[in-house]
Amino acid sequence: MTTNKGDKAVRILAGLALSAVVGLSLPALAAKDLVIGMEVNSPHLDPANTNDTLSQSIERMFYQGLIGFDKEMKMIPALAERWESNAAATEFTFYLRKGVTFHDGTPFDAAAVKVNIERLANPDNKLSRRILVSMLKTVEVIDASTVKIVLNEPFGAFLNNMAHPGTFMISPAALSKFGKDIGQNPVGTGPYKFVSYRTDNIKAEKNPSYWRAGYPKVDSVTWTAVPEAGARYAKLKTGEAQFIYPLPPELAKAAEADKEITVITAPSIVARYLAPNNLKKPFDDVRVRQALNYAIDKNAYVKVVFNGYSEPLDAPIPPNLAFHVTQGPWPYDVAKAKALLAEAGYPNGFETEIWGGAATLPRRGMEFIQQQLAQVGIKVTVVPMEAGTLTQKTSGAPD
C-alpha cells in the first residue's frame, strides 16, 4: 500500500487490493444449517475491541450499529431510523427504531446507546476502537427513542464512524453480567443469537424476534477455522462446509470446473500490507521504509501469492471505498532500494522479523516478502502466529 509520498510520519508498504474469492456449494442454497470454513481463528467477539476483519464479519451475525452499509458501501439506517446533525458537525441526533430488544430481552433504547458509546470512549477501558468516538463530549438521552451525541470539536465523518463495526450495540445487561468476558458471550440485536464459542468454532442460531422482516434465512450458522488451504477446500468438496473464505486461489480454476461449486470473485475492500514499527530503528528512517516498498514487486506478489486474484493498490485505500483518490502503484526498483538503504546507513541491509497469520496464504505472502527483501540484503525471519497471539502482540486486545 502506498501513502502520500510527502508524508514522513507513517509508511505502509507493499499493499494489494484483493478480489473476494469464495467457494459456495450448491446445496448451501437450500441448507438450513450453514457451515462456513474460515482461514483463521477468531480471537474474541467484542466489537469495540476487534481489529481483525474475520471477527468483525462474525460479529455482524450478533450485532448491529445505529447505521449500516449496503452492498455499495453507502450508509443506510439500521438501529437508527434516521439522524440529523447541526451545521457545525458537533451535534448528531439519532432517532431510534422502536420495539427492538437485545437477545437477552433487554430493550434497545437511548439509554443502551449511551452505555455503549460511553464505554467505547472511556480511555480506562483501553478498547482498540476508541478512536471512533475519541472526540466525544457527551451522550444525551432526549427520550427513550432519541439520543444526541455531542462532540468536543467538529467532525464531519462522525456518521461514517457510527457505521463502523466498532460501534455495534451490546446489551447493557450483558456488559454488566459478563464484563471483560463479553468477547466470549456476545449479546446484540442481530439476526442470530449466540450458542457457543471457541476461537476455532463459533455457532449461532436464528433470532426469532429479529426486527427485520424476512430474516434470517437459515436456522443456524457455524464458523469453523481451517487454516490449511487444501483442507478447507476439501471440506467444501465433501459438503462438510457449504461456504469457505478465502477459496485457495490456486484451486479456484479447479473449483470452477466442479458443477457442485460456485466460485464468486468480486472486488474487495480488503488490503494486504506491511506495517513497520516506525518508532524503532531502522524503520524510524523514512528512507528505509521507502526502500522496503521499492524492493517488493507487487505484480509478482499478485501472481505468486494470489494466483492473479488481487491487484496492486494505487492509493492508501481500495478503489471501492469512499474518498479513494488514485495515486499510482509504488514502483518496483531494486537499485533504488539499495541506494536508499546505503544512504540511510545500511549498505549491507539488516536483520528483522515479519509477523503474520499461520494460515497458508499469510505464510506464503510472508515467505514471498522474505525472498524479495533478501535481494537488497535484508534478512527476514518469518514468524507465523495463531490469530489470538497475533492480535495480542500487535494491538494489545484480549485473546
Side-chain angles (χ1 to χ4, degrees), residues 18 28 229:
L18 303 184

Side-chain angles (χ1 to χ4, degrees), residues 30-50:
K32 289 297 183 183
D33 298 290
L34 182 66
V35 177
I36 300 173
M38 54 190 182
E39 185 179 39
V40 296
N41 292 355
S42 173
H44 64 88
L45 298 173
D46 180 355
N49 213 23
T50 296

Side-chain angles (χ1 to χ4, degrees), residues 28-285:
L29 299 177
K32 289 297 183 183
D33 298 290
L34 182 66
V35 177
I36 300 173
M38 54 190 182
E39 185 179 39
V40 296
N41 292 355
S42 173
H44 64 88
L45 298 173
D46 180 355
N49 213 23
T50 296
N51 289 300
D52 65 292
T53 303
L54 171 68
S55 294
Q56 289 178 346
S57 298
I58 298 172
E59 288 161 0
R60 290 179 187 277
M61 293 195 304
F62 307 115
Y63 292 116
Q64 298 166 302
L66 300 183
I67 304 174
F69 287 116
D70 64 14
K71 293 180 180 179
E72 283 71 46
M73 298 300 294
K74 295 179 181 178
M75 290 188 296
I76 56 174
L79 292 177
E81 293 184 313
R82 60 187 180 92
W83 50 85
E84 59 189 32
S85 63
N86 65 354
T90 57
E91 296 183 1
F92 296 81
T93 303
F94 297 88
Y95 300 90
L96 308 181
R97 195 174 298 277
K98 298 177 181 178
V100 177
T101 60
F102 290 97
H103 300 154
D104 60 3
T106 302
F108 167 73
D109 55 18
V113 174
K114 179 178 175 67
V115 167
N116 275 271
I117 299 301
E118 290 181 346
R119 171 188 183 244
L120 180 58
N122 186 346
D124 294 338
N125 292 329
K126 297 181 171 59
L127 297 169
S128 62
R129 292 299 180 179
R130 178 179 175 268
I131 187 67
L132 295 170
V133 294
S134 60
M135 68 297 293
L136 180 72
K137 183 177 181 180
T138 60
V139 182
E140 302 174 9
V141 174
I142 306 302
D143 57 43
S145 59
T146 311
V147 61
K148 179 188 287 187
I149 298 178
V150 182
L151 309 183
N152 282 313
E153 57 191 24
F155 185 56
F158 184 72
L159 290 175
N160 298 69
N161 284 12
M162 295 304 293
H164 189 282
T167 61
F168 281 167
M169 295 289 113
I170 305 173
S171 163
L175 286 170
S176 178
K177 177 180 179 180
F178 296 111
K180 292 183 178 179
D181 293 330
I182 192 67
Q184 290 78 46
N185 299 277
V187 183
T189 63
Y192 292 91
K193 300 172 64 174
F194 173 68
V195 174
S196 61
Y197 170 84
R198 295 199 316 263
T199 59
D200 63 347
N201 190 279
I202 298 161
K203 187 168 184 177
E205 63 184 10
K206 68 178 181 181
N207 174 15
S209 301
Y210 186 49
W211 58 267
R212 181 171 285 159
Y215 293 91
K217 298 292 188 181
V218 299
D219 292 339
S220 71
V221 180
T222 300
W223 298 71
T224 183
V226 190
E228 202 283 313
R232 190 164 61 255
Y233 179 63
K235 281 187 174 291
L236 183 69
K237 289 277 289 182
T238 61
E240 293 179 74
Q242 290 77 49
F243 185 96
I244 63 171
Y245 176 82
L247 176 68
E250 66 275 15
L251 296 173
K253 297 299 182 185
E256 288 174 345
D258 190 323
K259 294 181 180 179
E260 292 296 309
I261 296 175
T262 297
V263 178
I264 303 170
T265 59
S268 169
I269 61 170
V270 176
R272 303 277 181 174
Y273 55 88
L274 280 176
N277 186 342
N278 64 346
L279 299 178
K280 294 185 177 182
K281 291 184 177 297
F283 306 113
D284 60 340
D285 192 318

Side-chain angles (χ1 to χ4, degrees), residues 241-379:
Q242 290 77 49
F243 185 96
I244 63 171
Y245 176 82
L247 176 68
E250 66 275 15
L251 296 173
K253 297 299 182 185
E256 288 174 345
D258 190 323
K259 294 181 180 179
E260 292 296 309
I261 296 175
T262 297
V263 178
I264 303 170
T265 59
S268 169
I269 61 170
V270 176
R272 303 277 181 174
Y273 55 88
L274 280 176
N277 186 342
N278 64 346
L279 299 178
K280 294 185 177 182
K281 291 184 177 297
F283 306 113
D284 60 340
D285 192 318
V286 65
R287 294 167 296 185
V288 171
R289 303 195 297 271
Q290 290 174 338
L292 295 178
N293 224 337
Y294 279 119
I296 298 172
D297 186 342
K298 287 76 170 177
N299 289 313
Y301 186 103
V302 166
K303 295 177 182 177
V304 173
V305 180
F306 284 95
N307 208 43
Y309 289 97
S310 68
E311 60 185 14
L313 280 172
D314 61 5
I317 59 175
N320 51 339
L321 282 184
F323 311 114
H324 168 271
V325 178
T326 299
Q327 297 179 17
W330 196 283
Y332 174 55
D333 190 332
V334 172
K336 179 71 171 177
K338 289 181 176 179
L340 283 167
L341 287 173
E343 184 181 324
Y346 302 96
N348 300 315
F350 51 86
E351 295 186 12
T352 190
E353 292 182 346
I354 181 171
W355 297 354
T360 302
L361 275 177
R363 281 177 179 264
R364 187 185 302 160
M366 290 188 291
E367 289 167 357
F368 178 88
I369 291 170
Q370 179 187 50
Q371 295 168 359
Q372 292 277 286
L373 296 184
Q375 298 179 100
V376 296
I378 300 175
K379 183 179 179 180

